[in-house]
Amino acid sequence: MTTDGDELLAERLKEHGLRVTPQRLAIYRALVATAEHPTAQMLYERLQPALPSLSQATVYNSLQALVACGLVHELGDAGDGALHYDADLSPHLNLVCTRCHRIEDFFDPSLALVDSAVNSTSGYRIMGARLVYYGLCAACQAAPAGAASTAP
Amino acid sequence: MTTDGDELLAERLKEHGLRVTPQRLAIYRALVATAEHPTAQMLYERLQPALPSLSQATVYNSLQALVACGLVHELGDAGDGALHYDADLSPHLNLVCTRCHRIEDFFDPSLALVDSAVNSTSGYRIMGARLVYYGLCAACQAAPAGAASTAP
DNA sequence: TTTTGTGCAAACGTTTTGCAATTAT
DNA sequence: ATAATTGCAAAACGTTTGCACAAAA
């Protein structure tokens, strides 16, 4: 591999006629660095210290650009009304805890079977996927009230 | 089976301490009757002729009630920014056309494998799922510009 | 009768947009 | 140089909510 994250970003952006800006780089890096599936708002707050001039609009716009380039997946909302994003493009599914709104990844070989079934028999030209199971994570099952280890 | 759709609705609503209203019945029937995965707005417009007094708030509220009872699944948005709903609860995935925003169903035996993998190894108590593949439907692949057979 | 749901309109929070200044190419 | 992107603020959008009336239990 000759392409680390930054180079991949630059390459893909250029492929799509888009410019490489520090904001896009920062947003992409933040997304690659975390396993938390953040929202635009979360990214905005997280990047604020490093890029004090960053605006919310730019976060939203940049995420759109990254999604358009196929560098990032939009995960939909997790019961909190905001869209979550993920830079992990490997075929996996998300486990969304409806109590604490956390999103975990889940990998299983059976996913490959679904993938090939869809690709071979749906008639669609597939561009992406989002596989989500909703439920209560182990922590929230154990906790009686709103005692999830991160956010209630 | 002794329960047709209406009876199932009544039963489930009562189970959850909710009342059986004509609006909820109409919304549920409309959802069962169509394979279109409509949004709240679409349902509102569709039911307007039959229930002229129906309000948008009631559509939104009723959909929440139906989801809470497990009678209907919330499908997320299809690139049009609005939530879609489905009364077909059988394990299947949705094919979302990102050009015409149509949602199709897709069934395959491999889905059962994923299901059992998630249930047995995730540690989550699963309450629901949404499996979506995004891409271009056959019609939109064939059409050069915005010539989808229903909505561009 | 008592409690829940409806309908209306106003509020909410997320996301998008118009525009001038800035910056990547 | 030139066209795209940023940042700001205001708008737009889907959705939710407060309240009085109506209706289900």
Side-chain angles (χ1 to χ4, degrees):
Chain A
M1 295 299 170
T2 65
T3 53
D4 70 344
D6 292 3
E7 286 173 20
L8 176 63
L9 176 77
E11 184 190 304
R12 289 291 188 81
L13 284 171
K14 285 173 188 165
E15 256 173 49
H16 289 253
L18 300 170
R19 293 179 180 175
V20 182
T21 67
Q23 291 85 346
R24 286 172 180 172
L25 184 60
I27 291 167
Y28 182 61
R29 278 178 176 163
L31 227 25
V32 169
T34 184
E36 264 192 279
H37 314 283
T39 63
Q41 195 62 233
M42 291 162 83
L43 287 166
Y44 172 67
E45 287 161 12
R46 197 162 305 181
L47 294 171
Q48 197 74 317
L51 288 83
S53 77
L54 181 68
S55 72
Q56 309 205 46
T58 297
V59 178
Y60 285 101
N61 289 337
S62 298
L63 285 169
Q64 278 187 180
L66 296 177
V67 170
C69 294
L71 286 159
V72 159
H73 279 168
E74 189 181 84
L75 301 185
D77 85 302
D80 52 1
L83 300 174
H84 292 248
Y85 293 86
D86 190 356
D88 180 353
L89 306 179
S90 61
H92 67 278
L93 88 221
N94 297 126
L95 298 170
V96 173
C97 179
T98 53
R99 175 131 66 176
C100 67
H101 302 153
R102 214 200 330 270
I103 305 181
E104 268 181 64
D105 293 325
F106 180 86
F107 297 85
D108 189 86
S110 57
L111 293 166
L113 298 175
V114 174
D115 225 76
S116 66
V118 172
N119 278 290
S120 61
T121 70
S122 71
Y124 274 56
R125 176 137 57 88
I126 300 300
M127 319 281 291
R130 190 194 176 197
L131 310 177
V132 190
Y133 274 79
Y134 299 96
L136 263 52
C137 68
C140 286
Q141 281 177 68
S149 39
T150 303
Chain B
M1 297 296 172
T2 63
T3 52
D4 69 344
D6 292 3
E7 287 173 21
L8 176 63
L9 176 76
E11 184 189 304
R12 290 291 188 83
L13 284 172
K14 284 174 188 166
E15 256 173 50
H16 289 253
L18 300 171
R19 292 181 179 175
V20 182
T21 67
Q23 292 85 347
R24 286 172 179 173
L25 185 59
I27 290 166
Y28 183 60
R29 278 180 176 161
L31 227 25
V32 169
T34 184
E36 265 191 278
H37 314 283
T39 63
Q41 194 61 233
M42 291 162 82
L43 287 165
Y44 173 67
E45 286 161 12
R46 197 163 305 180
L47 294 171
Q48 197 76 316
L51 287 83
S53 78
L54 182 67
S55 73
Q56 309 205 47
T58 297
V59 178
Y60 284 102
N61 290 335
S62 298
L63 285 169
Q64 278 186 181
L66 296 176
V67 169
C69 293
L71 287 158
V72 160
H73 280 169
E74 190 181 83
L75 301 185
D77 85 302
D80 51 2
L83 299 175
H84 292 248
Y85 293 86
D86 190 355
D88 180 354
L89 306 180
S90 60
H92 66 278
L93 58 83
N94 297 128
L95 297 170
V96 173
C97 180
T98 52
R99 176 129 68 175
C100 68
H101 302 153
R102 214 200 329 273
I103 304 181
E104 267 182 64
D105 292 325
F106 180 85
F107 298 85
D108 190 86
S110 58
L111 293 165
L113 298 175
V114 174
D115 224 76
S116 65
V118 172
N119 277 290
S120 60
T121 71
S122 71
Y124 274 56
R125 177 136 55 90
I126 300 301
M127 319 280 291
R130 189 193 176 195
L131 311 177
V132 190
Y133 275 79
Y134 300 96
L136 263 52
C137 68
C140 287
Q141 280 177 69
S149 39
T150 303

